[in-house]
């Protein structure tokens, strides 16, 4: 069984989600062959040095819980999201998780998937795409990480607030994947089934690309009362709610 999740947005201010995630790591996930987290595990990640913050142990406790799952024999692969794109090698070393690129092709004996966070396909939102391109640049990240941790936390809070305000004025289509970009993506990756998150619009979509039927599975975001994982049993995908 391979499990896929995304958009947990873990934060100290969301204890319900955190509790569900820890229960998941100690329970359902222990029976998996692999776990893939496709971005936005955290609401924000100001840099790997937050793991050393003795006044705020949240990040360290969460990463250590991931490490316990890895020690139990379940490989964990994590993709950067738009909220936690600064997850780095120190995070990977402490958690034991593997950081995978976006997109990532998962070839299995009976099927092939292409995995993505999904934000790169929201091409209609040109303002966001410009921001995404900026913060993924190595020089921008180096300059940001050179700032004191307390300052980076404040900047992250400000950016989240601005993002939430901006969403209120954006048309719905701007926050969803672009149809042409998605079809081009599916074509480029050999019509593999696509699994992604980001949009917070869980659904299963059927695409016809060059006469070939391709499925697109959108993962659910988690909240204070429930989460969701997508399960591959070797033959088909199914959603499971986590409470």
């Amino acid at each position: 069984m391979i499990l896929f999740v995304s958009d947990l947005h873990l934060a100290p201010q969301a204890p319900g989600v955190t509790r569900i995630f820890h229960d998941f790591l100690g329970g359902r996930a222990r029976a998996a062959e692999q776990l893939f987290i496709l971005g936005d595990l955290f609401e924000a990640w100001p840099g790997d040095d937050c793991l050393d913050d003795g006044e705020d142990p949240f990040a360290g406790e969460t990463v250590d819980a991931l490490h316990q799952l890895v020690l139990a024999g379940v490989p964990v692969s994590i993709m950067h999201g738009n909220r936690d794109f600064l997850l780095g090698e120190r995070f990977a070393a402490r958690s034991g998780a593997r950081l995978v690129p976006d997109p990532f092709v998962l070839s299995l004996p009976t099927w092939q998937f292409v995995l993505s966070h999904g934000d790169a396909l929201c091409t209609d939102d040109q303002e966001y795409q410009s921001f995404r391109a900026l913060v993924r640049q190595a020089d921008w990240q180096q300059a940001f990480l050179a700032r004191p941790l307390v300052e980076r936390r404040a900047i992250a809070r400000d950016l989240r607030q601005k993002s939430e305000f901006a969403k209120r004025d954006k048309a719905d289509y701007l926050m969803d994947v672009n149809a042409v970009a998605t079809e081009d993506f599916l074509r480029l990756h050999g019509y593999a089934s696509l699994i992604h998150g980001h949009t917070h619009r869980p659904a299963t979509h059927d695409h016809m690309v060059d006469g070939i039927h391709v499925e697109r599975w959108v993962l659910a975001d988690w909240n204070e009362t429930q989460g969701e994982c997508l399960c591959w049993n070797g033959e088909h995908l199914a959603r499971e709610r986590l409470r």
Side-chain angles (χ1 to χ4, degrees), residues 8-18 41-44 58 62 160 224:
L8 287 77
H9 297 274
L10 299 176
Q13 299 78 20
V17 174
T18 302
L41 171 61
F42 294 96
E43 174 68 2
F58 177 81
T62 304
R160 290 199 307 274
E224 287 289 86

Side-chain angles (χ1 to χ4, degrees), residues 87-224:
L87 291 171
E89 293 306 317
R90 287 184 61 195
F91 163 82
R94 180 159 169 176
S95 66
R98 172 181 60 158
L99 292 172
V100 296
D102 183 357
F104 179 77
V105 175
L106 177 61
S107 294
L108 302 172
T110 56
W111 207 255
Q112 182 159 296
F113 298 98
V114 57
L115 314 178
S116 177
H117 179 56
D119 57 331
L121 296 175
C122 299
T123 56
D124 290 319
D125 192 346
Q126 297 181 8
E127 181 181 2
Y128 168 72
Q129 293 300 329
S130 296
F131 173 78
R132 184 182 190 277
L134 173 66
V135 300
R136 298 301 177 105
Q137 293 176 9
D139 56 349
W140 185 94
Q141 294 188 4
Q142 184 177 6
F144 180 77
L145 292 172
R147 297 171 180 262
L149 178 59
V150 64
E151 184 178 343
R152 280 179 271 140
R153 289 190 190 277
I155 292 172
R157 285 194 299 269
D158 183 60
L159 288 174
R160 290 199 307 274
Q161 290 175 354
K162 289 180 178 178
S163 174
E164 291 304 315
F165 282 126
K167 286 180 182 178
R168 299 175 186 179
D169 296 327
K170 285 184 178 180
D172 283 348
Y173 77 92
L174 291 176
M175 294 180 286
D176 204 353
V177 300
N178 174 274
V180 174
T182 300
E183 290 192 2
D184 287 344
F185 181 89
L186 295 173
R187 185 179 293 113
L188 178 64
H189 291 91
Y191 314 101
S193 298
L194 170 59
I195 301 175
H196 72 84
H198 179 65
T199 63
H200 298 191
R201 301 178 182 188
T204 306
H205 301 270
D206 296 298
H207 295 264
M208 289 300 296
V209 185
D210 303 330
I212 299 172
H213 172 243
V214 186
E215 288 188 339
R216 175 169 64 93
W217 291 73
V218 185
L219 299 172
D221 56 309
W222 292 32
N223 58 48
E224 287 289 86

